[in-house]
Amino acid sequence: GLGIVQFYAGISVDPNNPERIYGGSQDNGTLKKIGPGKGDWIQILGGDGDATAIHPNDSSTIYAEFQRSGNLHRSMNGGNSFTWFSSGINVNDPNAFICPLMFAPGTTSLYYATDRIYHNANGDSNWTEISGSLAGNPGAAIRGFAIAPSNSQVFYAGTNDGRILVSTNGGSRWDLRRIDVPGWPRNMRQLAIHPEDHL
């Protein structure tokens, strides 16, 4: 009778209702917390639920995904129904099972990562590829991605072949900072940037 769910990285909290939480879970899809109780969770999208995001100007617009490249979906009614939302993303891109997904802090710019970075300017249009592959080896992909709170043009990316890269111009150019960083290569590993010092 003991129920245990593993959540992946990429949980989102509704800024207008802290009891409304979205998260991707292993083998149990994307889950939504709908009330204050421990049991107030419902499944809103299937597969292995992965990263989620909430539109900064409209908390009824939710983005959720399941494993593999291009399996990104959007709901415009708080998760009651979803439509496929991956136009412009190459579904054959290598991926790290969970593809990073996030809004740049304080903006409506949405980013998605496979082995490269994709950008969506306002969360309701086609995706545009803004980088080439950031991996060092064929088949490798981005497993961690972060945007600096102090400068939305500064990105950090970590790949599952052990590379850490930095862009200071919104993803147009990338500098390799580290190689051979260890870790489990399959799933997303979070990166965090100091809120005031992004370099």
Side-chain angles (χ1 to χ4, degrees), residues 13-17 20 22 32 53-62 75-79:
V13 178
D14 187 331
N16 300 313
N17 182 353
R20 191 172 297 136
Y22 301 86
K32 174 184 178 180
I54 301 172
H55 196 285
N57 295 341
D58 179 8
S59 61
S60 66
T61 300
I62 311 301
S75 171
M76 300 183 73
N77 55 19

Side-chain angles (χ1 to χ4, degrees), residues 49-73:
D50 295 343
T52 63
I54 301 172
H55 196 285
N57 295 341
D58 179 8
S59 61
S60 66
T61 300
I62 311 301
Y63 305 86
E65 59 175 325
F66 49 88
Q67 71 280 9
R68 307 301 177 203
S69 298
N71 284 330
L72 178 63
H73 295 75

Side-chain angles (χ1 to χ4, degrees), residues 134 155-159 163-167 174-177:
L134 300 182
F155 304 158
Y156 282 72
T159 66
R163 292 157 57 96
I164 302 292
L165 303 101
V166 181
S167 174
W174 291 83
D175 298 317
L176 182 63
R177 292 284 178 90

Side-chain angles (χ1 to χ4, degrees), residues 32-184:
K32 174 184 178 180
K33 192 172 194 301
I34 57 173
K38 291 185 288 186
D40 291 340
W41 290 86
I42 59 172
Q43 185 183 55
I44 57 174
L45 191 66
D48 278 280
D50 295 343
T52 63
I54 301 172
H55 196 285
N57 295 341
D58 179 8
S59 61
S60 66
T61 300
I62 311 301
Y63 305 86
E65 59 175 325
F66 49 88
Q67 71 280 9
R68 307 301 177 203
S69 298
N71 284 330
L72 178 63
H73 295 75
R74 178 180 66 177
S75 171
M76 300 183 73
N77 55 19
N80 293 324
S81 62
F82 282 87
T83 57
W84 186 74
F85 188 66
S86 301
S87 180
I89 296 171
N90 185 343
V91 298
N92 296 312
D93 280 355
N95 60 76
F97 190 76
I98 296 175
C99 297
L101 169 72
M102 68 189 64
F103 279 96
T107 77
T108 59
S109 286
L110 186 59
Y111 294 89
Y112 179 84
T114 57
D115 67 328
R116 65 199 70 234
I117 305 294
Y118 290 89
H119 175 237
N120 189 309
N122 51 21
D124 64 3
S125 57
N126 292 338
W127 292 88
T128 301
E129 177 185 324
I130 62 168
S131 80
S133 177
L134 300 182
N137 298 312
I142 298 165
R143 67 174 180 181
F145 181 65
I147 304 168
S150 58
N151 185 336
S152 62
Q153 294 296 298
V154 175
F155 304 158
Y156 282 72
T159 66
N160 58 11
D161 57 355
R163 292 157 57 96
I164 302 292
L165 303 101
V166 181
S167 174
T168 59
N169 63 354
S172 297
R173 196 189 99 204
W174 291 83
D175 298 317
L176 182 63
R177 292 284 178 90
R178 297 282 186 275
I179 60 171
D180 299 327
V181 177
W184 191 34

